Amino acid sequence: MNTAVTNKIESDQKLEFPIPAGVYAERVVSVKHYTDRLFSFRITRPQTFRFRSGEFVMIGLPNAEKPVFRAYSIASPSWDEEVEFFSIKVPEGPLTQHLQKIQPGDTVLMRQKSTGTLVNDALTPAKRLYMFSTGTGIAPFASLIRDPDTYEKFDQIILTHTTRDVAELDYGKELIEATRNDPLIGELTEGRLHHFTSTTREESPVMGRITTLIENGELFRHLGTEPLSRENDRVMICGSMEMLKDVKNLVEKAGLEEGSNAAPADFVVERAFVG
């Protein structure tokens, strides 16, 4: 649905509570449901909102005197005119049980400051950048692979995405196709942006946890690259808590050192939330 159409949609959402101070109140532009567990949505971007690709922000809904806010990675690049999010649906989740029902025209609250470790500034330049993601952990990488700065810093960008079922890979597949066809950065991706997917439950061409595929070398055989090395590779990790811990251990075992905004190095992990 294009913006012109969604602008005309009237929302049934009633704002019964005042908007908290220091918070943006933005309009939902579009919503897309991928499975019964996953959906994405885009909201209008405040003119004063600035962020670095890969950062997260706190969002909520105007449905209580003290709204519930949760950390969400921004899936759109820093140059985008809208702000995109990719979310899981949790039936009893304090926020997502309501967030999954939003419609174009509804209001979403967003705090004014973004932050996060999954930014280009936290890594030193290298030949390759691996982005290891599971589930909705792909969201910050959706931002980064659409940022020209990423291609200035790394020759190859490899996005891995592991989910339980095949349909849960659709967001990433659409993302890669749109990025390669994007008039701004499509040319930068040619021969440089690679997409590797695997599933852990439903049968697909490649099955297994990303940790297993790193350990047994199957990931590198599929990509035609050598195993992780500090000389050639940089790594970003986003996903479930268990996945973060396991991949971090493998990356450190390969000799890479953790970096930060203050001290850029070889890999970074997003610990603000579980994707």
Side-chain angles (χ1 to χ4, degrees):
M1 187 179 293
N2 63 39
T3 306
V5 174
T6 56
N7 280 344
K8 297 178 181 177
I9 294 179
E10 293 296 328
S11 169
D12 293 329
Q13 184 190 44
K14 300 291 188 291
L15 298 185
E16 300 174 5
F17 298 93
I19 303 299
V23 172
Y24 295 120
E26 297 303 312
R27 181 177 51 79
V28 176
V29 176
S30 62
V31 183
K32 180 168 183 177
H33 295 270
Y34 287 87
T35 70
D36 59 359
R37 295 181 67 246
L38 299 170
F39 72 109
S40 67
F41 60 99
R42 296 176 73 88
I43 64 174
T44 52
R45 178 175 178 172
Q47 286 190 335
T48 56
F49 182 56
R50 298 288 180 268
F51 68 95
R52 292 180 297 175
S53 296
E55 290 188 322
F56 67 87
V57 70
M58 305 295 289
I59 65 171
L61 291 171
N63 58 357
E65 191 84 35
K66 293 184 177 179
V68 172
F69 282 87
R70 290 290 184 268
Y72 269 73
S73 286
I74 301 169
S76 45
S78 58
W79 51 262
D80 204 316
E81 293 179 355
E82 297 170 349
V83 185
E84 178 184 338
F85 299 99
F86 183 45
S87 177
I88 194 168
K89 303 176 187 179
V90 181
E92 303 303 321
L95 177 60
T96 59
Q97 66 170 303
H98 305 294
L99 190 65
Q100 63 184 285
K101 299 172 185 175
I102 59 172
Q103 302 287 334
D106 284 352
T107 298
V108 169
L109 305 180
M110 184 171 71
R111 293 202 188 278
Q112 296 180 358
K113 183 172 173 53
S114 62
T115 189
T117 57
L118 299 180
V119 292
N120 287 321
D121 292 343
L123 296 176
T124 55
K127 180 180 179 181
R128 274 185 298 269
L129 172 61
Y130 282 94
M131 300 173 170
F132 293 121
S133 71
T134 56
T136 54
I138 193 175
F141 304 140
S143 174
L144 284 157
I145 68 168
R146 290 183 278 186
D147 192 320
D149 289 348
T150 305
Y151 297 89
E152 286 186 16
K153 202 160 191 173
F154 306 99
D155 296 331
Q156 274 187 305
I157 292 88
I158 298 168
L159 171 62
T160 82
H161 191 205
T162 300
T163 61
R164 295 188 306 178
D165 301 322
V166 174
E168 295 174 336
L169 296 170
D170 286 351
Y171 176 82
K173 291 176 180 176
E174 289 182 6
L175 165 70
I176 292 292
E177 183 179 0
T179 302
R180 287 173 174 157
N181 293 322
D182 189 282
L184 177 65
I185 57 163
E187 195 174 327
L188 294 175
T189 70
E190 289 184 18
R192 300 172 65 191
L193 176 61
H194 306 276
H195 187 210
F196 176 89
T197 62
S198 68
T199 55
T200 58
R201 187 169 68 180
E202 185 180 359
E203 189 171 343
S204 68
V206 181
M207 297 195 65
R209 296 181 68 218
I210 190 60
T211 46
T212 303
L213 300 172
I214 293 172
E215 284 185 292
N216 65 19
E218 190 170 348
L219 169 68
F220 309 110
R221 285 193 290 274
H222 272 274
L223 295 169
T225 62
E226 62 273 11
L228 293 172
S229 72
R230 189 177 187 191
E231 180 184 359
N232 294 318
D233 302 312
R234 298 294 176 263
V235 171
M236 292 181 169
I237 313 167
C238 193
S240 68
M241 202 60 71
E242 183 183 10
M243 175 267 197
L244 297 181
K245 177 173 66 72
D246 292 346
V247 176
K248 179 178 183 288
N249 288 339
L250 288 173
V251 169
E252 288 181 328
K253 190 177 177 182
L256 280 69
E257 295 185 1
E258 187 166 4
S260 66
N261 283 282
D266 311 322
F267 78 91
V268 284
V269 180
E270 186 53 84
R271 296 187 179 87
F273 53 91
V274 177

